[in-house]
Amino acid sequence: MDADIIIVGGGLNGPALALALASGGLSSVIIDALPLATRRKPAFDGRAYALALTSVRMLDVLGIWPVVATNAQPMLDIKVSDGKPGEGAASLFVHFDHNEISEGPMGYMLEDRTLRRALLDAVKASNLITQIAPARVLAQEIHSSHAEVVLDDGRTLRGRVLVGCDGRRSGVALRASISRTGHGYHQTGLVCAVSHEQSHNGVAYQQFMPSGPLAILPLPDNRSAIVWTETSTRAAEINAMSDKDFMAELRPRFGDFLGKIKLVGKRFSYPLDLTIANEFARARLALVGDAAHGIHYLAGQGLNLGLRDVAALAEVLLDAARRGEDIGDALVLARYSQWRGADVMALAVSTDAINKLFSNDNPVLRAMRVAGLGMVNALPSARRGFIREAAGLSGDLPRLLKGQAI
Ligand SMILES: Cc1cc2nc3c(=O)[nH]c(=O)nc-3n(C[C@H](O)[C@H](O)[C@H](O)COP(=O)(O)OP(=O)(O)OC[C@H]3O[C@@H](n4cnc5c(N)ncnc54)[C@H](O)[C@@H]3O)c2cc1C
């Protein structure tokens, strides 16, 4: 064997999994198509993550959080509204306040580039992890005793388990003939960062517009990350605009509650779809992160879901290894897919339903939505339930997400 685990994909979940496994003594090889230098680039790619409190606990156990914490912005409150362009983000809302739970902030905002570099640096420092990049996996085979991948440089690698962390278009799933369920949203996320005159005070805003949600997420230094969802046709028109015209479109949606706003850095766009693998694991093979499930960005939970996969899979594999079981056995890996299946489906179905219910201008649905949001705002137990979900505190949590070593 070249390693216990062969991981295809060195984005975010691949390195996090390798580090979690190494913390319990299992070795891995990470293969990625992109050179390491490209993935470590300090340029901002527009993405910033709302990391749930439990994801932060896990990153802390893995030694990543102490490295990135000074660049993270605590997310204290979330305000959700049902709006229209011109109304601004601070109109009628439901207010979720972190003081309603005892654990502290629901999560932290962290830029992709900061998290990515910290993960890759920790991987480099581990003597149980080997990185191979740039290299593409061309073929894979599952045998009774091991899994095997063939790289485009002619090398063949063997491990006891093959894990696909290779994103929404997972080649590992495709080569294993694992089918997917999903659909396109005909929506595109327009992503950028803005600076503003007034402090956001750690408040995140989610405003549901007829064409899709607009998220304004707090970043350090009086900046906010914008994830603005539009129909793909309209998004293409907005994308083609100059920065000045783009900001003229954004301002009436954003409102003036944070004073004057200014574009910081480049603009990016991401088409949106729902894509769920119909199997998360089988003998000697598992899928993790976006390779297993790509969901709508509106809940800001894609990476959090992936990190929950990482924590669950690492715990299942390490516990099996300690008991002397074959870690690639179908029954061992079934524990992982059973653990993760319900959680993923619940979030995929709810984000899909919320997007359908809110992304329209139907007056009847709008009246129902406003009444529904008002009811949630008036019910402390409903508010607390939502806050615990956003913080990742509900469900059967793996040890890493409780802040415990594995
Ligand atoms: C605008 C935006 C905002 C988001 N906001 C949030 C948020 O607030 N909170 C949150 O939790 N999530 C958020 N997400 C989701 C989050 O970005 C993803 O869930 C996460 O990046 C998935 O990581 P991954 O490691 O699974 O996959 P990826 O990051 O896609 O990595 C896959 C890796 O596999 C490699 N690869 C692919 N094919 C091969 C091959 N054949 N051989 C070798 N290597 C290969 C690729 O080079 C890549 O490095 C957001 C996403 C976007 C786009």
Side-chain angles (χ1 to χ4, degrees):
M1 300 291 169
D2 293 283
D4 294 310
I5 318 288
I6 307 281
I7 298 173
V8 183
L12 297 172
N13 287 309
L17 177 64
L19 291 169
L21 293 167
S23 76
L26 287 177
S27 64
S28 43
V29 173
I30 305 177
I31 304 153
D32 201 286
L34 293 174
L36 197 55
T38 310
R39 281 176 287 139
R40 280 191 88 262
K41 258 192 191 152
F44 185 34
D45 84 340
R47 276 184 291 182
Y49 302 114
L51 285 172
L53 179 64
T54 46
S55 299
V56 170
R57 286 178 181 167
M58 168 169 147
L59 292 173
D60 199 26
V61 176
L62 299 181
I64 302 297
W65 195 249
V67 181
V68 299
T70 50
N71 294 309
Q73 167 66 47
M75 211 166 63
L76 302 177
D77 296 6
I78 301 177
K79 292 184 177 178
V80 180
S81 58
D82 185 76
K84 279 184 174 177
E87 287 181 349
S91 53
L92 227 197
F93 52 73
V94 185
H95 183 179
F96 300 104
D97 180 345
H98 76 289
N99 286 315
E100 293 199 47
I101 58 169
S102 55
E103 283 84 354
M106 305 171 219
Y108 291 79
M109 287 300 301
L110 188 65
E111 287 179 27
D112 176 89
R113 57 180 168 178
T114 309
L115 179 58
R116 200 171 283 268
R117 280 165 76 95
L119 284 167
L120 292 175
D121 290 349
V123 160
K124 195 171 168 203
S126 168
N127 53 16
L128 282 173
I129 309 172
T130 310
Q131 291 204 70
I132 301 182
R136 232 165 227 293
V137 174
L138 294 183
Q140 71 195 39
E141 264 184 54
I142 302 296
H143 300 275
S144 58
S145 59
H146 66 278
E148 200 171 277
V149 293
V150 180
L151 307 187
D152 55 0
D153 60 9
R155 263 185 288 182
T156 298
L157 301 174
R158 290 177 193 85
R160 292 195 280 164
V161 183
L162 169 64
V163 183
C165 293
D166 48 349
R168 285 177 174 238
R169 313 273 165 264
S170 169
V172 170
L174 202 67
R175 285 184 291 271
S177 301
I178 294 177
S179 57
R180 306 186 81 87
T181 302
H183 54 79
Y185 283 111
H186 309 294
Q187 289 173 319
T188 295
L190 299 164
V191 177
C192 65
V194 296
S195 63
H196 31 76
E197 289 175 319
Q198 328 243 317
S199 168
H200 44 53
N201 294 318
V203 181
Y205 295 86
Q206 177 80 282
Q207 191 182 23
F208 288 100
M209 302 279 200
S211 54
L214 168 74
I216 301 171
L217 306 161
L219 292 177
D221 308 324
N222 269 11
R223 290 175 307 141
S224 289
I226 305 292
V227 184
W228 168 15
T229 308
E230 278 289 341
T231 60
S232 293
T233 318
R234 182 70 189 130
E237 290 165 7
I238 297 171
N239 251 336
M241 289 177 182
S242 65
D243 286 351
K244 190 166 163 259
D245 292 346
F246 173 86
M247 289 305 287
E249 284 285 327
L250 176 62
R251 275 194 191 96
R253 291 167 170 81
F254 193 107
D256 57 5
F257 68 107
L258 293 178
K260 285 198 183 118
I261 57 169
K262 229 165 75 184
L263 183 69
V264 194
K266 290 190 188 159
R267 292 149 39 190
F268 305 86
S269 70
Y270 297 90
L272 291 166
D273 65 351
L274 174 74
T275 166
I276 313 281
N278 290 335
E279 284 171 80
F280 288 180
R282 51 168 75 155
R284 307 221 169 269
L285 187 141
L287 300 176
V288 161
D290 279 17
H293 41 72
I295 62 168
H296 199 293
Y297 308 146
L298 70 85
Q301 288 293 337
L303 178 59
N304 290 310
L305 264 193
L307 293 176
R308 273 184 259 166
D309 296 347
V310 166
L313 182 59
E315 187 166 318
V316 164
L317 294 179
L318 285 167
D319 285 354
R322 286 173 191 139
R323 280 194 292 266
E325 290 176 278
D326 175 357
I327 58 171
D329 190 275
L331 288 176
V332 170
L333 289 160
R335 289 174 206 148
Y336 163 67
S337 47
Q338 277 159 16
W339 200 351
R340 296 299 303 131
D343 182 35
V344 168
M345 283 320 287
L347 199 67
V349 168
S350 56
T351 48
D352 195 55
I354 290 171
N355 186 53
K356 281 195 182 110
L357 179 67
F358 280 86
S359 297
N360 62 70
D361 206 12
N362 180 316
V364 179
L365 287 180
R366 196 172 156 86
M368 280 168 59
R369 295 191 305 247
V370 171
L373 288 177
M375 266 167 62
V376 173
N377 207 27
L379 284 174
S381 59
R383 287 199 310 269
R384 265 196 300 278
F386 177 92
I387 294 167
R388 294 193 72 77
E389 276 299 322
L393 291 164
S394 53
D396 178 14
L397 296 181
R399 295 198 286 277
L400 277 173
L401 297 180
K402 293 181 192 158
Q404 298 164 6
I406 44 171

